[in-house]
Amino acid sequence: LRKLINRINISMDKYIHDFSPEIWSVDMRFLHLSEILTSDQAKSTLAAIILVLIISIVAFRNFKYGLLTLAPLVCGLMLNFIFMAFMHIPLDMITLMVTSIVIGVGVDDAIHYNIQFRKNHLLLGNVTEAIEHTHIEAGRPIMHTTVSIVGGLLFLLMSSFLGIAYFGLLICFTLTFT
């Protein structure tokens, strides 16, 4: 709608000189609301990522562990938006909520994994062995909870409302890869 309005405005500027028409409708309000939500979501996502980084650095007392906590979040969010672009899924009021959920679940999983890795690394002294033990001790529960959450949310794909179906698809895809 924004692209169409821009094209109409360019045409009006080019061909109409005697008066200044204005485009208005209820849809314009929804477009404006959608743009506000998109802007607010971008700001809150950035704030959440910065806050997670700060909390992780303080909790782990290590900048590297703080960055490692962000890695699955950032990768999952990037894959979400790439998937949306590839599948032509619109960024709207419903699909914007995916970001907040992914940050919440991703932080939880990343912190569990990092705590377990740190404990194993201190105990074993070898990074490779620590990763192997961490996969067994923290990776399996993370995988089981992710599979159960994704399995439950797959039922959203059966919704007759396309926005809810998109939401379910995006949540399942993004949680799986986060």
Side-chain angles (χ1 to χ4, degrees), residues 15 25 51 54 63 77 88 104 109 126-127 140 143 145 164:
Y15 297 112
S25 71
L51 186 63
I54 291 168
F63 185 74
L77 291 174
H88 303 288
D109 290 348
N126 184 338
V127 173
R140 285 189 59 207
M143 290 298 289
T145 57
I164 298 296

Side-chain angles (χ1 to χ4, degrees), residues 58-97:
V58 169
F60 291 116
R61 295 182 192 103
N62 188 317
F63 185 74
K64 290 179 188 177
Y65 280 102
L67 288 178
L68 283 173
T69 303
L70 290 182
L73 298 177
V74 173
C75 290
L77 291 174
M78 286 189 325
L79 284 171
N80 174 54
F81 291 116
I82 290 169
F83 183 72
M84 287 178 68
F86 181 72
M87 298 297 291
H88 303 288
I89 297 173
L91 184 63
D92 58 19
M93 292 178 229
I94 294 173
T95 57
L96 280 173
M97 293 185 289

Side-chain angles (χ1 to χ4, degrees), residues 12 17 30 32 35 60 72 82 89 100 114 120 127 130 140:
M12 285 190 311
H17 302 288
F30 286 124
H32 183 64
E35 289 171 347
F60 291 116
I82 290 169
I89 297 173
S100 301
N114 283 344
N120 286 334
V127 173
R140 285 189 59 207

Side-chain angles (χ1 to χ4, degrees), residues 111-128:
I111 288 174
H112 283 295
Y113 193 87
N114 283 344
I115 287 172
Q116 196 64 43
F117 173 77
R118 191 172 186 191
K119 185 175 102 179
N120 286 334
H121 188 251
L122 289 172
L123 188 67
L124 300 170
N126 184 338
V127 173
T128 305

